[in-house]
Structure formats: structure tokens, C-alpha cells
Amino acid sequence: NLAFVLPLNDAWDNDGDVVFSFYSNDTNLQSCTLWQNSSGIFSANVSNLSSTGLQSGSVSSVRSLLPELTNIIWNIKCNDSAGNTAFNTTLNYTISVDKTQPGVFDLTSPTNDTVSTIINPSLTWSLPAEPNFLNYTVNIANNTKFDNWTYQYERTGIISNNSITIPDNLESDKQYYWKVIVFDKAGNSRNSTNLFYYETDNTPPNI
């Protein structure tokens, strides 16, 4: 009886140092070995032995360093002291490794230091290079540290989804700063090179 715990099927990792956890139940359990195909061949990789801590009925693990590659197929094969062997027969799992930060990008519109009467502006930024795009996070705050952001939005789907007309109305006669963060599926991220200043001015001159 063999079941996987972590990583989940179709998981992503951003450093290649992966711990594979599993549960196996056999009175005479002797060893369990990770099999994976990052080399191009599905083969044995790392073993966990009963003499070094493998226990039947408990969650065990093996650790492996994987290359930067997508859709690595893996499974666990266990054997007991009687010579019986078995993989998890339900299915093979896959994991993808992406160690690379998204490419450099920057804000484009409205230009920095814009003062405008528009309280729900359309924001646009350039495209980063990122084959495993997950989302953009747009932060709008009242200070340059963004430690108390006022509005936050996500843009998902495709990497060319690089603009947003903010659905909320900014307060009138206020100063704002905005920036964008791009994330990939493995959790790597990059901030826009710059943050931009935007000011709403909705009060007529006093004459």
C-alpha cells in the first residue's frame, strides 16, 4: 500500500531541491526509491532504507536535486525483505522546476508624475520574458514603501494581459504610487524596474 503525500501532482518548484514524501505500509518494508526521468530516462534516483529511518505506516521521504525542466515524471518504488516490489500503481506524478526569475520590465502609462482628474486610470506596463507566467499583481499605495497599499489587483491568463483600468475610484486630490509585480508558476517574481507617481486633482482653482 503506497501513497504520495507531497509534492502534489503537477507541482512547481523554484530551486530544484525537492523533498518527495510518501506513505507505505508493509510489515517487512526494506527500502523505497524515487524514480524520475529528468535525465531523459525513467530510472532509480534516491533511496530511503529501513536501516536509516524508513518505517512502515509512517510518512517517509527522499530528497533529490532536480534540473530546471518542466513535466518531470516521478514515482516511488518500494520493496520488502521478501523481495516483493511495487510502484504507486494509481499514476505517475509530475513536477516542474523553474529557477529563473521573470525578465526585466517597467511601467509605461500613465507616465511618471502624472497629475490628472481621472480617478480610475488605465495602467499599462511592458512585457517581461517569462514562459511560465502566472499573474501580475498591481499595487497602488500612498507611500513608496508600499507597506500600506491601498488597492491591489491581479491580472491572470496570458502574459500579454499587461494593462488594467482600475475598477475602484481613487480618492480625489490624493497622491499615489503604483508598481507591478510579475509571478511565474514556480513562485519566482520580479518588481517593475520603477514605481510611478500619480496624483488626482479634482479641485478647481480658487480665484
Side-chain angles (χ1 to χ4, degrees), residues 6-159:
L6 289 172
L8 300 177
N9 195 24
D10 297 324
W12 285 80
D13 177 83
N14 60 18
D15 64 5
D17 188 356
V18 183
V19 176
F20 297 85
S21 299
F22 56 93
Y23 172 94
S24 185
N25 190 14
D26 188 303
T27 304
N28 301 307
L29 186 64
Q30 187 175 57
S31 69
C32 291
T33 302
L34 170 70
W35 285 60
Q36 48 94 356
N37 72 338
S38 64
S39 67
I41 300 173
F42 191 67
S43 59
N45 185 231
V46 181
S47 294
N48 189 335
L49 307 177
S50 57
S51 60
T52 57
L54 181 66
Q55 293 183 350
S56 175
S58 299
V59 175
S60 303
S61 64
V62 292
R63 185 175 183 175
S64 181
L65 294 176
L66 301 178
E68 189 166 20
L69 195 66
T70 57
N71 297 318
I72 299 169
I73 297 173
W74 67 275
N75 204 328
I76 300 290
K77 184 179 184 180
C78 293
N79 69 276
D80 60 23
S81 56
N84 300 301
T85 64
F87 282 100
N88 180 336
T89 57
T90 304
L91 75 166
N92 293 324
Y93 274 20
T94 64
I95 185 170
S96 297
V97 178
D98 181 352
K99 306 176 185 179
T100 304
Q101 186 181 21
V104 176
F105 74 106
D106 210 357
L107 313 178
T108 56
S109 176
T111 56
N112 194 21
D113 295 324
T114 291
V115 179
S116 175
T117 60
I118 300 173
I119 57 176
N120 59 335
S122 295
L123 310 178
T124 305
W125 51 94
S126 62
L127 296 177
E130 177 49 62
N132 302 312
F133 171 77
L134 179 64
N135 72 60
Y136 297 109
T137 298
V138 181
N139 286 335
I140 303 174
N142 57 15
N143 64 73
T144 57
K145 294 181 179 180
F146 289 85
D147 54 6
N148 184 27
W149 50 265
T150 306
Y151 304 98
Q152 186 177 77
Y153 310 100
E154 280 192 0
R155 300 295 278 169
T156 59
I158 56 177
I159 198 166

